[in-house]
Amino acid sequence: MIIGRVVGNVWATRKEEVLVGIKFLVVQPHGPDGKGRGNLWWRPTGWGAGLGDMVIVTQGSSARLVYGEQWPIDAAVIGIVDSVEKGG
Amino acid sequence: MIIGRVVGNVWATRKEEVLVGIKFLVVQPHGPDGKGRGNLWWRPTGWGAGLGDMVIVTQGSSARLVYGEQWPIDAAVIGIVDSVEKGG
Amino acid sequence: MIIGRVVGNVWATRKEEVLVGIKFLVVQPHGPDGKGRGNLWWRPTGWGAGLGDMVIVTQGSSARLVYGEQWPIDAAVIGIVDSVEKGG
Amino acid sequence: MIIGRVVGNVWATRKEEVLVGIKFLVVQPHGPDGKGRGNLWWRPTGWGAGLGDMVIVTQGSSARLVYGEQWPIDAAVIGIVDSVEKGG
Amino acid sequence: MIIGRVVGNVWATRKEEVLVGIKFLVVQPHGPDGKGRGNLWWRPTGWGAGLGDMVIVTQGSSARLVYGEQWPIDAAVIGIVDSVEKGG
């Protein structure tokens, strides 16, 4: 899993029928210093996550467990981060 | 999922029999500023997507849900983007 | 699999129900010289791994074998490293 | 999927029994300008592809659909490219 | 699949029970010029591969086909390279 911040929404009216009603979020991955970095990824929303939220994103076939085995997605939000404790 | 623009078509007459009739698109991934970046990837088309369209692409085993479980593909177009709203 | 050091914990109270009670670790991948490098990844804990431990992390669908097939995770700790012997 | 050119063969007599008789190709990924770039990857051959051919390669679990579900491979040639049309 | 050289062993006594008795190798991926490059990855051994051997490594869910479907691994050695022929 990675952690990232929700920085946008994607609108797509022409899409796979099973995806109708789903919201796609633009998530910017975050590094250990809390700053955004790398590329943005677009992911289906979950857990009522919205703009500005820091979220946990799972990738690959595990993303289908969140919505249903027949969803053709490769990433999904599985939680909203409260805080990160550093150390070690 | 990632978002990218369709910038080409690939022609291949010698291929797996199940792939006969499929069209392969060249998709250039897009970054948060709307500009193309990174490498191009070649992906089977879907949703009537054509040159110039901005599309949503799913990767990995989920791509097989779009065409059929027996398709040996690792990427597929699952939607055409209307617009992206930034914020957060 | 990769090897990395546990450098933090992630707290998330709003998450998929199946994930309640799970602890997410921040793992920093390590290179051949024993120094940390690259990005941090957040992964569910396992094996009682805690801050400062060097761990082996498995990625992708194999991570679900550690906790259960219905867990929407894409990475998991599968062991704690005692030592690394170099040569060859 | 990616497109690349076959630039070598790999010989390995000691390997998993199911792989006996298979030929491994060295494939160099190609970028949008038609030039090779990035790393080389080694992949099992298919479709009679040989040195100098431009091929379409599928990665991940989909590669197993080309040879058989019990093949421990993560990449396979699924077609030979005739031409690429650019635009968009 | 990728090709790499075995450059180390990893010792881990605290690990998933199914992994007891397995040996983890440190494999350094090799480029087309025969020189090592990139990061090291740690992978379970196979085929009696040892320090200094050049090996073929499969990644992702296919790695489980080598040891058994319930092994929580994401990479495995599937062969030992005799030689690489360049051309094309």
Side-chain angles (χ1 to χ4, degrees), chain B residues 48-70:
Chain B
L51 286 175
D53 280 342
M54 188 75 86
V55 294
I56 304 175
V57 176
T58 193
Q59 297 178 278
S61 56
S62 293
R64 296 200 300 264
L65 298 179
V66 178
Y67 290 96
E69 186 58 34
Q70 293 310 309

PDB file of all heavy atoms in Angstrom, chain B residues 48-70:
ATOM      1  N   GLY B  48     -14.423   2.357 -27.989  1.00  0.00           N
ATOM      2  CA  GLY B  48     -14.358   3.164 -29.192  1.00  0.00           C
ATOM      3  C   GLY B  48     -13.364   4.306 -29.083  1.00  0.00           C
ATOM      4  O   GLY B  48     -13.433   5.274 -29.827  1.00  0.00           O
ATOM      5  N   ALA B  49     -12.437   4.201 -28.150  1.00  0.00           N
ATOM      6  CA  ALA B  49     -11.441   5.250 -27.990  1.00  0.00           C
ATOM      7  C   ALA B  49     -10.575   5.346 -29.237  1.00  0.00           C
ATOM      8  O   ALA B  49     -10.224   4.328 -29.834  1.00  0.00           O
ATOM      9  CB  ALA B  49     -10.564   4.971 -26.773  1.00  0.00           C
ATOM     10  N   GLY B  50     -10.237   6.576 -29.628  1.00  0.00           N
ATOM     11  CA  GLY B  50      -9.431   6.769 -30.824  1.00  0.00           C
ATOM     12  C   GLY B  50      -8.360   7.813 -30.606  1.00  0.00           C
ATOM     13  O   GLY B  50      -8.194   8.343 -29.497  1.00  0.00           O
ATOM     14  N   LEU B  51      -7.630   8.116 -31.664  1.00  0.00           N
ATOM     15  CA  LEU B  51      -6.521   9.066 -31.588  1.00  0.00           C
ATOM     16  C   LEU B  51      -6.959  10.383 -30.964  1.00  0.00           C
ATOM     17  O   LEU B  51      -7.970  10.957 -31.353  1.00  0.00           O
ATOM     18  CB  LEU B  51      -5.946   9.305 -32.987  1.00  0.00           C
ATOM     19  CG  LEU B  51      -5.112   8.151 -33.561  1.00  0.00           C
ATOM     20  CD1 LEU B  51      -4.714   8.463 -34.992  1.00  0.00           C
ATOM     21  CD2 LEU B  51      -3.885   7.920 -32.706  1.00  0.00           C
ATOM     22  N   GLY B  52      -6.198  10.860 -29.990  1.00  0.00           N
ATOM     23  CA  GLY B  52      -6.467  12.141 -29.360  1.00  0.00           C
ATOM     24  C   GLY B  52      -7.295  12.050 -28.096  1.00  0.00           C
ATOM     25  O   GLY B  52      -7.316  12.989 -27.302  1.00  0.00           O
ATOM     26  N   ASP B  53      -7.987  10.935 -27.878  1.00  0.00           N
ATOM     27  CA  ASP B  53      -8.816  10.793 -26.675  1.00  0.00           C
ATOM     28  C   ASP B  53      -7.959  10.678 -25.424  1.00  0.00           C
ATOM     29  O   ASP B  53      -6.900  10.043 -25.439  1.00  0.00           O
ATOM     30  CB  ASP B  53      -9.700   9.539 -26.766  1.00  0.00           C
ATOM     31  CG  ASP B  53     -10.932   9.762 -27.610  1.00  0.00           C
ATOM     32  OD1 ASP B  53     -11.286  10.929 -27.839  1.00  0.00           O
ATOM     33  OD2 ASP B  53     -11.538   8.763 -28.056  1.00  0.00           O
ATOM     34  N   MET B  54      -8.431  11.283 -24.330  1.00  0.00           N
ATOM     35  CA  MET B  54      -7.834  11.082 -23.006  1.00  0.00           C
ATOM     36  C   MET B  54      -8.592   9.918 -22.369  1.00  0.00           C
ATOM     37  O   MET B  54      -9.820   9.942 -22.300  1.00  0.00           O
ATOM     38  CB  MET B  54      -7.986  12.342 -22.153  1.00  0.00           C
ATOM     39  CG  MET B  54      -7.246  12.290 -20.846  1.00  0.00           C
ATOM     40  SD  MET B  54      -5.469  12.515 -21.052  1.00  0.00           S
ATOM     41  CE  MET B  54      -5.355  14.307 -21.041  1.00  0.00           C
ATOM     42  N   VAL B  55      -7.872   8.891 -21.946  1.00  0.00           N
ATOM     43  CA  VAL B  55      -8.529   7.673 -21.480  1.00  0.00           C
ATOM     44  C   VAL B  55      -8.050   7.251 -20.091  1.00  0.00           C
ATOM     45  O   VAL B  55      -6.969   7.643 -19.638  1.00  0.00           O
ATOM     46  CB  VAL B  55      -8.274   6.496 -22.464  1.00  0.00           C
ATOM     47  CG1 VAL B  55      -8.948   6.762 -23.804  1.00  0.00           C
ATOM     48  CG2 VAL B  55      -6.779   6.264 -22.660  1.00  0.00           C
ATOM     49  N   ILE B  56      -8.879   6.434 -19.414  1.00  0.00           N
ATOM     50  CA  ILE B  56      -8.507   5.794 -18.154  1.00  0.00           C
ATOM     51  C   ILE B  56      -8.085   4.367 -18.481  1.00  0.00           C
ATOM     52  O   ILE B  56      -8.807   3.643 -19.161  1.00  0.00           O
ATOM     53  CB  ILE B  56      -9.674   5.757 -17.155  1.00  0.00           C
ATOM     54  CG1 ILE B  56     -10.210   7.171 -16.899  1.00  0.00           C
ATOM     55  CG2 ILE B  56      -9.252   5.102 -15.845  1.00  0.00           C
ATOM     56  CD1 ILE B  56     -11.453   7.196 -16.011  1.00  0.00           C
ATOM     57  N   VAL B  57      -6.902   3.974 -18.011  1.00  0.00           N
ATOM     58  CA  VAL B  57      -6.365   2.648 -18.309  1.00  0.00           C
ATOM     59  C   VAL B  57      -6.199   1.857 -17.011  1.00  0.00           C
ATOM     60  O   VAL B  57      -5.636   2.356 -16.044  1.00  0.00           O
ATOM     61  CB  VAL B  57      -4.996   2.766 -19.007  1.00  0.00           C
ATOM     62  CG1 VAL B  57      -4.377   1.396 -19.235  1.00  0.00           C
ATOM     63  CG2 VAL B  57      -5.122   3.523 -20.323  1.00  0.00           C
ATOM     64  N   THR B  58      -6.703   0.635 -16.988  1.00  0.00           N
ATOM     65  CA  THR B  58      -6.489  -0.259 -15.846  1.00  0.00           C
ATOM     66  C   THR B  58      -5.400  -1.253 -16.230  1.00  0.00           C
ATOM     67  O   THR B  58      -5.278  -1.642 -17.385  1.00  0.00           O
ATOM     68  CB  THR B  58      -7.785  -0.980 -15.439  1.00  0.00           C
ATOM     69  OG1 THR B  58      -7.606  -1.585 -14.156  1.00  0.00           O
ATOM     70  CG2 THR B  58      -8.161  -2.061 -16.435  1.00  0.00           C
ATOM     71  N   GLN B  59      -4.582  -1.661 -15.244  1.00  0.00           N
ATOM     72  CA  GLN B  59      -3.441  -2.532 -15.520  1.00  0.00           C
ATOM     73  C   GLN B  59      -3.508  -3.824 -14.710  1.00  0.00           C
ATOM     74  O   GLN B  59      -4.187  -3.910 -13.708  1.00  0.00           O
ATOM     75  CB  GLN B  59      -2.145  -1.789 -15.192  1.00  0.00           C
ATOM     76  CG  GLN B  59      -1.931  -0.548 -16.060  1.00  0.00           C
ATOM     77  CD  GLN B  59      -0.668   0.205 -15.701  1.00  0.00           C
ATOM     78  OE1 GLN B  59      -0.663   0.988 -14.769  1.00  0.00           O
ATOM     79  NE2 GLN B  59       0.379  -0.024 -16.448  1.00  0.00           N
ATOM     80  N   GLY B  60      -2.769  -4.812 -15.169  1.00  0.00           N
ATOM     81  CA  GLY B  60      -2.681  -6.075 -14.447  1.00  0.00           C
ATOM     82  C   GLY B  60      -3.856  -6.987 -14.743  1.00  0.00           C
ATOM     83  O   GLY B  60      -4.513  -6.875 -15.785  1.00  0.00           O
ATOM     84  N   SER B  61      -4.146  -7.902 -13.809  1.00  0.00           N
ATOM     85  CA  SER B  61      -5.162  -8.921 -14.045  1.00  0.00           C
ATOM     86  C   SER B  61      -6.545  -8.317 -14.250  1.00  0.00           C
ATOM     87  O   SER B  61      -7.411  -8.936 -14.869  1.00  0.00           O
ATOM     88  CB  SER B  61      -5.181  -9.918 -12.883  1.00  0.00           C
ATOM     89  OG  SER B  61      -5.387  -9.254 -11.650  1.00  0.00           O
ATOM     90  N   SER B  62      -6.779  -7.099 -13.741  1.00  0.00           N
ATOM     91  CA  SER B  62      -8.083  -6.460 -13.917  1.00  0.00           C
ATOM     92  C   SER B  62      -8.395  -6.168 -15.376  1.00  0.00           C
ATOM     93  O   SER B  62      -9.569  -6.052 -15.755  1.00  0.00           O
ATOM     94  CB  SER B  62      -8.144  -5.158 -13.101  1.00  0.00           C
ATOM     95  OG  SER B  62      -8.110  -5.441 -11.716  1.00  0.00           O
ATOM     96  N   ALA B  63      -7.375  -6.045 -16.213  1.00  0.00           N
ATOM     97  CA  ALA B  63      -7.605  -5.773 -17.634  1.00  0.00           C
ATOM     98  C   ALA B  63      -8.379  -6.908 -18.291  1.00  0.00           C
ATOM     99  O   ALA B  63      -9.127  -6.700 -19.247  1.00  0.00           O
ATOM    100  CB  ALA B  63      -6.271  -5.552 -18.345  1.00  0.00           C
ATOM    101  N   ARG B  64      -8.193  -8.112 -17.751  1.00  0.00           N
ATOM    102  CA  ARG B  64      -8.872  -9.265 -18.348  1.00  0.00           C
ATOM    103  C   ARG B  64     -10.363  -9.240 -18.090  1.00  0.00           C
ATOM    104  O   ARG B  64     -11.138  -9.911 -18.769  1.00  0.00           O
ATOM    105  CB  ARG B  64      -8.270 -10.568 -17.802  1.00  0.00           C
ATOM    106  CG  ARG B  64      -6.808 -10.732 -18.191  1.00  0.00           C
ATOM    107  CD  ARG B  64      -6.397 -12.185 -18.080  1.00  0.00           C
ATOM    108  NE  ARG B  64      -6.535 -12.720 -16.744  1.00  0.00           N
ATOM    109  CZ  ARG B  64      -5.540 -12.790 -15.850  1.00  0.00           C
ATOM    110  NH1 ARG B  64      -4.337 -12.349 -16.173  1.00  0.00           N
ATOM    111  NH2 ARG B  64      -5.740 -13.296 -14.667  1.00  0.00           N
ATOM    112  N   LEU B  65     -10.819  -8.495 -17.085  1.00  0.00           N
ATOM    113  CA  LEU B  65     -12.246  -8.424 -16.796  1.00  0.00           C
ATOM    114  C   LEU B  65     -12.995  -7.650 -17.867  1.00  0.00           C
ATOM    115  O   LEU B  65     -14.209  -7.781 -18.010  1.00  0.00           O
ATOM    116  CB  LEU B  65     -12.483  -7.777 -15.432  1.00  0.00           C
ATOM    117  CG  LEU B  65     -11.893  -8.542 -14.251  1.00  0.00           C
ATOM    118  CD1 LEU B  65     -12.161  -7.785 -12.969  1.00  0.00           C
ATOM    119  CD2 LEU B  65     -12.475  -9.939 -14.173  1.00  0.00           C
ATOM    120  N   VAL B  66     -12.268  -6.806 -18.617  1.00  0.00           N
ATOM    121  CA  VAL B  66     -12.907  -5.974 -19.626  1.00  0.00           C
ATOM    122  C   VAL B  66     -13.229  -6.786 -20.874  1.00  0.00           C
ATOM    123  O   VAL B  66     -14.286  -6.625 -21.489  1.00  0.00           O
ATOM    124  CB  VAL B  66     -12.009  -4.772 -19.984  1.00  0.00           C
ATOM    125  CG1 VAL B  66     -12.658  -3.929 -21.077  1.00  0.00           C
ATOM    126  CG2 VAL B  66     -11.729  -3.940 -18.739  1.00  0.00           C
ATOM    127  N   TYR B  67     -12.324  -7.717 -21.248  1.00  0.00           N
ATOM    128  CA  TYR B  67     -12.501  -8.448 -22.500  1.00  0.00           C
ATOM    129  C   TYR B  67     -12.890  -9.908 -22.287  1.00  0.00           C
ATOM    130  O   TYR B  67     -13.564 -10.498 -23.115  1.00  0.00           O
ATOM    131  CB  TYR B  67     -11.204  -8.394 -23.316  1.00  0.00           C
ATOM    132  CG  TYR B  67     -10.936  -7.014 -23.849  1.00  0.00           C
ATOM    133  CD1 TYR B  67     -10.095  -6.143 -23.180  1.00  0.00           C
ATOM    134  CD2 TYR B  67     -11.553  -6.579 -25.012  1.00  0.00           C
ATOM    135  CE1 TYR B  67      -9.869  -4.868 -23.668  1.00  0.00           C
ATOM    136  CE2 TYR B  67     -11.335  -5.310 -25.509  1.00  0.00           C
ATOM    137  CZ  TYR B  67     -10.490  -4.455 -24.828  1.00  0.00           C
ATOM    138  OH  TYR B  67     -10.274  -3.198 -25.303  1.00  0.00           O
ATOM    139  N   GLY B  68     -12.418 -10.495 -21.184  1.00  0.00           N
ATOM    140  CA  GLY B  68     -12.674 -11.918 -20.947  1.00  0.00           C
ATOM    141  C   GLY B  68     -11.473 -12.536 -20.255  1.00  0.00           C
ATOM    142  O   GLY B  68     -10.334 -12.156 -20.517  1.00  0.00           O
ATOM    143  N   GLU B  69     -11.732 -13.464 -19.354  1.00  0.00           N
ATOM    144  CA  GLU B  69     -10.691 -14.023 -18.482  1.00  0.00           C
ATOM    145  C   GLU B  69      -9.573 -14.696 -19.258  1.00  0.00           C
ATOM    146  O   GLU B  69      -8.458 -14.831 -18.763  1.00  0.00           O
ATOM    147  CB  GLU B  69     -11.330 -14.990 -17.486  1.00  0.00           C
ATOM    148  CG  GLU B  69     -10.414 -15.548 -16.434  1.00  0.00           C
ATOM    149  CD  GLU B  69      -9.773 -14.433 -15.607  1.00  0.00           C
ATOM    150  OE1 GLU B  69     -10.426 -13.391 -15.374  1.00  0.00           O
ATOM    151  OE2 GLU B  69      -8.621 -14.601 -15.201  1.00  0.00           O
ATOM    152  N   GLN B  70      -9.849 -15.139 -20.483  1.00  0.00           N
ATOM    153  CA  GLN B  70      -8.832 -15.866 -21.246  1.00  0.00           C
ATOM    154  C   GLN B  70      -7.985 -14.967 -22.152  1.00  0.00           C
ATOM    155  O   GLN B  70      -7.203 -15.449 -22.942  1.00  0.00           O
ATOM    156  CB  GLN B  70      -9.495 -16.979 -22.070  1.00  0.00           C
ATOM    157  CG  GLN B  70     -10.075 -18.077 -21.198  1.00  0.00           C
ATOM    158  CD  GLN B  70      -9.083 -18.593 -20.161  1.00  0.00           C
ATOM    159  OE1 GLN B  70      -7.959 -18.948 -20.481  1.00  0.00           O
ATOM    160  NE2 GLN B  70      -9.477 -18.602 -18.892  1.00  0.00           N
TER     161      GLN B  70
END
